[in-house]
Amino acid sequence: MAAGKKMCVKEKTPEGPPSPPGYRALPIKFSREQASSHFLYVREHRVRGGARSRWPPERTLFVLNVPPYCLEGCLARLFSVCGPVQSVHLHEKPEAGQPPQEPPSAQFCPKPEPGFQVAYVVFRTPAAVPKATALRGPLVISAQSHPVKTGIEKWAADYADSLVDPEALRQEVDKFMADYDKKMAAEDAKAEAEEGVPDEEGWVKVTRRGRQPGLPRAEAASLRLLEKEKRKKARKELLNFYAWQHRETQREHLARLRKKFEEDKQRIALLRAQRKFRPY
């Protein structure tokens, strides 16, 4: 091999198939009768120095090559032998960053991504992560005690899950709006308390509150919509459609022509007066 060139050689886990560097291969089977195994690649979730993680690194297991039929419940059950599982998150590709501020909706769940995915398995205790990386398979996904639905049964279950319960949706929306109103009331009270109060350096924070506050967004939007409809209606208005409209238009046109004729006569007379020959 030429000098200066590097090759990424896959590590071979003890008594196991080759796996990417830093990962351990974990065989799984859809059922006990299946002859071949599918391999998951697991390792402890790590982030670069100084970077923020969406999941606690010391309690999170990162899993690659998750098949489409292995959902959150399957992964939670498979790894529950290592310790209590707090949550499982499936994604199309590895993700980082802070979790969303708002809790996920129970009525509008995102559809699972088609194809193979990555998973973040969050345990309740850090001691469960080394046990998960040391697991030996094959682990069985579908059994008599916990069957995994496939084919028409899975499609029917997915359709039933996609239907939203109106009463549960109403309760969720009411709760969200109540929390939002409390949040806005707290922000308004804080802004009102801080209005006109100088800080440590003597600066006064200028807010939108004043003697003539602006129109609310809803009212301003309504006024803009009414103005737009008025302009649209004016463009659609038919001109000279009726006979009386045609007569009025002709009268106005004749009046403008007569006025222009008189103005032109005065202007010509003024020009003739200015061209008069005066030798002395």
Side-chain angles (χ1 to χ4, degrees):
M1 183 170 58
K5 292 186 178 180
K6 296 182 179 180
M7 290 185 61
C8 180
V9 181
K10 291 186 177 181
E11 297 180 355
K12 191 170 184 179
T13 56
E15 300 180 0
S19 59
Y23 290 85
R24 180 179 177 84
L26 177 62
I28 62 172
K29 289 184 177 182
F30 183 79
S31 61
R32 297 186 184 276
E33 295 78 14
Q34 186 177 359
S36 60
S37 299
H38 177 84
F39 289 94
L40 303 177
Y41 299 100
V42 299
R43 69 168 172 82
E44 182 183 354
H45 175 52
R46 296 187 298 268
V47 294
R48 296 178 180 178
R52 295 184 177 182
S53 176
R54 185 169 177 176
W55 302 275
E58 68 280 357
R59 295 190 292 111
T60 304
L61 181 72
F62 182 57
V63 187
L64 288 178
N65 203 30
V66 180
Y69 51 82
C70 190
L71 302 180
E72 290 90 342
C74 296
L75 289 175
R77 180 180 52 79
L78 292 178
F79 291 105
S80 62
V81 296
C82 306
V85 177
Q86 178 178 337
S87 60
V88 178
H89 308 273
L90 289 174
H91 295 278
E92 185 180 4
K93 58 183 179 180
E95 295 187 2
Q98 294 297 319
Q101 299 294 333
E102 300 293 341
S105 173
Q107 304 299 325
F108 300 99
C109 300
K111 295 183 179 179
E113 296 290 341
F116 290 80
Q117 305 176 77
V118 300
Y120 296 88
V121 182
V122 183
F123 293 95
R124 296 189 181 274
T125 57
V129 177
K131 296 180 181 179
T133 56
L135 272 177
R136 294 185 180 181
L139 304 179
V140 179
I141 294 179
S142 180
Q144 292 183 356
S145 58
H146 37 265
V148 175
K149 296 180 180 179
T150 57
I152 297 180
E153 293 183 357
K154 182 178 183 303
W155 296 340
D158 292 342
Y159 175 75
D161 295 339
S162 65
L163 300 178
V164 180
D165 184 10
E167 182 62 23
L169 178 61
R170 185 189 62 79
Q171 294 178 3
E172 182 177 347
V173 172
D174 292 344
K175 182 179 181 300
F176 176 83
M177 294 306 301
D179 296 341
Y180 177 79
D181 292 340
K182 290 180 182 179
K183 179 181 177 182
M184 296 303 299
E187 291 181 359
D188 292 343
K190 182 180 179 181
E192 187 175 359
E194 295 178 353
E195 184 178 2
V197 179
D199 56 8
E200 298 176 354
E201 298 180 357
W203 294 93
V204 178
K205 183 178 179 181
V206 179
T207 62
R208 291 182 294 178
R209 295 175 176 270
R211 296 180 180 179
Q212 297 179 353
L215 292 173
R217 291 187 178 182
E219 186 176 353
S222 300
L223 292 177
R224 287 196 300 269
L225 183 61
L226 290 175
E227 190 67 25
K228 184 177 179 181
E229 291 294 334
K230 188 184 296 184
R231 291 196 300 267
K232 186 176 179 181
K233 184 178 180 181
R235 287 196 303 267
K236 289 186 176 181
E237 185 179 357
L238 296 176
L239 300 177
N240 299 331
F241 182 75
Y242 298 101
W244 64 269
Q245 289 181 331
H246 187 64
R247 290 195 298 269
E248 289 293 333
T249 304
Q250 286 183 341
R251 290 196 189 100
E252 293 176 358
H253 183 62
L254 289 174
R256 287 195 299 267
L257 289 177
R258 289 168 181 168
K259 182 179 179 182
K260 189 175 184 304
F261 178 72
E262 294 297 333
E263 291 176 353
D264 291 343
K265 284 176 59 177
Q266 295 178 3
R267 183 165 55 86
I268 291 173
L270 181 61
L271 291 175
R272 287 177 177 176
Q274 291 177 352
R275 290 174 56 189
K276 189 174 181 181
F277 179 71
R278 294 190 181 93
Y280 301 104

